[in-house]
């Protein structure tokens, strides 16, 4: 519960509705082992938010280390007090960096992960390219960059979609609100709302002002940034 609002904490609701760190850690390790023939140890989680993926990495990967990068101090504070505080001595293998991913230190990494489309915050081609170049620089010679993509015709429609979530003692509806889309620039504004039992709503718990990049554009940019092999 959030003491200020007496409603469930919006970060907990977010984690329960849109994140699946165990699946993601398993997926990245499987792909890395299959293609590189060894296990990855070093993860950089870009746009880490509550760093739930970085925490799971350190929990699941023996000897693994992780760095979570995010520019929002309050979110990182929440991560430290809630997710990292529960990790005991494993927390020693985890670091949080409060900075822009565009200027973050080049931590040596086997894997860089950027999930839930966060790089869509970069609306200009040159800026997204400089981010991809930065990721390429920070990866060691056998490194892999994992990122996900949201798009297609449905993403261009102004609409709300909701889904029931019943997890870890929390029951609520997750609402994805595609509030604005500009077909000329590809810019979109989306919100996440949470509908709680009893008719309460956490309106605009999270809002995103993004550009919808498409797959061919992203493949071109990744190639230009130095990535030799791009698997979809
Ligand atoms: C959509 S959330 C992603 C959280 C989590 N990675 C996930 O998979 O759900 C986006 C996060 O990116 C952070 N962010 C936005 N722009 C950033 C930037 N330029 N550098 C670092 N973090 C940034 C925000 O503070 C926010 O926590």
């Amino acid at each position: 519960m959030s003491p200020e609002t007496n409603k469930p904490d919006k970060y907990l609701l977010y984690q329960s509705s849109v994140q699946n760190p165990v699946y993601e850690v398993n997926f990245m390790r499987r792909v890395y082992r299959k293609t590189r023939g060894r296990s990855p140890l070093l993860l950089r989680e870009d746009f880490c938010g509550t760093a739930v993926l970085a925490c799971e990495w350190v929990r699941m990967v023996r000897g693994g280390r992780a760095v979570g990068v995010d520019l929002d101090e309050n979110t990182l504070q929440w991560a430290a007090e809630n997710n990292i505080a529960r990790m005991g001595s494993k927390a020693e293998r985890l670091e949080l960096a409060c900075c822009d991913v565009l200027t973050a230190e080049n931590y040596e990494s086997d894997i860089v992960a950027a999930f839930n489309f966060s790089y869509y915050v970069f609306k200009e081609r040159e800026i997204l390219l400089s981010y991809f170049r930065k990721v390429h620089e920070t990866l060691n010679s056998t490194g892999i960059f994992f990122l996900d993509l949201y798009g297609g015709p449905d993403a261009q429609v102004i609409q709300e979609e909701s889904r029931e979530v019943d997890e870890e003692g929390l029951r609520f509806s997750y609402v994805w609100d595609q509030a604005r889309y500009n077909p000329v620039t590809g810019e979109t504004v989306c919100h996440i709302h949470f509908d709680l039992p009893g008719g309460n709503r956490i309106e605009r718990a999270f809002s995103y002002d993004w550009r919808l990049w498409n797959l061919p554009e992203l493949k071109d940019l990744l190639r230009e940034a130095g990535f030799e092999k791009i698997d979809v």
Side-chain angles (χ1 to χ4, degrees):
M1 283 286 175
S2 154
E4 292 108 52
T5 61
N6 214 23
K7 290 179 182 167
D9 194 303
K10 67 173 188 172
Y11 293 110
L12 281 182
L13 300 178
Y14 178 90
Q15 290 183 168
S16 302
S17 48
V18 302
Q19 295 197 275
N20 190 342
V22 173
Y23 171 84
E24 283 158 358
V25 170
N26 280 329
F27 174 74
M28 294 191 295
R29 291 172 89 192
R30 191 168 68 244
V31 171
Y32 193 97
R33 277 202 213 104
K34 198 169 157 206
T35 54
R36 305 298 192 240
R38 69 172 181 90
S39 296
L41 285 177
L42 310 170
L43 170 76
R44 180 171 120 182
E45 183 188 7
D46 277 353
F47 310 97
C48 69
T50 62
V52 72
L53 180 67
C55 289
E56 202 55 52
W57 183 268
V58 164
R59 223 176 261 129
M60 289 172 66
V61 178
R62 188 177 302 177
R65 306 189 70 84
V67 181
V69 180
D70 199 289
L71 48 64
D72 191 278
E73 212 175 305
N74 293 334
T75 310
L76 291 181
Q77 178 83 25
W78 191 96
E81 287 168 8
N82 294 273
N83 289 339
I84 297 172
R86 294 208 184 99
M87 295 185 50
S89 62
K90 289 186 175 157
E92 288 162 17
R93 294 189 275 116
L94 176 59
E95 191 183 322
L96 294 181
C98 186
C99 59
D100 194 317
V101 294
L102 293 171
T103 52
E105 200 180 303
N106 276 351
Y107 298 92
E108 197 197 350
S109 314
D110 294 318
I111 290 177
V112 173
F115 287 142
N116 274 321
F117 337 113
S118 311
Y119 60 91
Y120 281 14
V121 74
F122 301 132
K123 295 180 178 178
E124 286 167 40
R125 193 177 192 283
E126 274 314 302
I127 297 184
L128 186 56
L129 179 60
S130 71
Y131 169 58
F132 287 168
R133 284 199 171 118
K134 186 98 185 105
V135 172
H136 193 264
E137 270 170 33
T138 207
L139 284 167
N140 59 35
S141 59
T142 54
I144 302 183
F145 180 29
F146 288 84
L147 67 169
D148 53 10
L149 166 74
Y150 150 74
D154 286 354
Q156 300 168 12
V157 178
I158 306 304
Q159 61 178 356
E160 281 194 13
E161 282 176 349
S162 84
R163 123 176 103 73
E164 301 301 306
V165 181
D166 186 354
E167 253 188 52
E168 295 162 21
L170 294 167
R171 283 188 59 219
F172 59 96
S173 293
Y174 159 86
V175 183
W176 177 246
D177 176 2
Q178 295 173 179
R180 270 195 268 156
Y181 175 69
N182 181 337
V184 179
T185 61
E187 288 173 286
T188 183
V189 173
C190 300
H191 310 286
I192 293 176
H193 318 289
F194 297 114
D195 283 333
L196 309 170
N200 287 322
R201 170 175 260 217
I202 305 182
E203 179 83 14
R204 297 190 180 184
F206 298 95
S207 294
Y208 306 104
D209 184 357
W210 283 340
R211 167 166 169 185
L212 285 186
W213 293 92
N214 69 37
L215 190 49
E217 287 173 324
L218 291 170
K219 286 172 72 180
D220 285 349
L221 280 160
L222 287 164
R223 235 176 257 119
E224 216 170 310
F227 290 92
E228 283 160 22
K229 190 165 179 291
I230 299 157
D231 286 325
V232 180

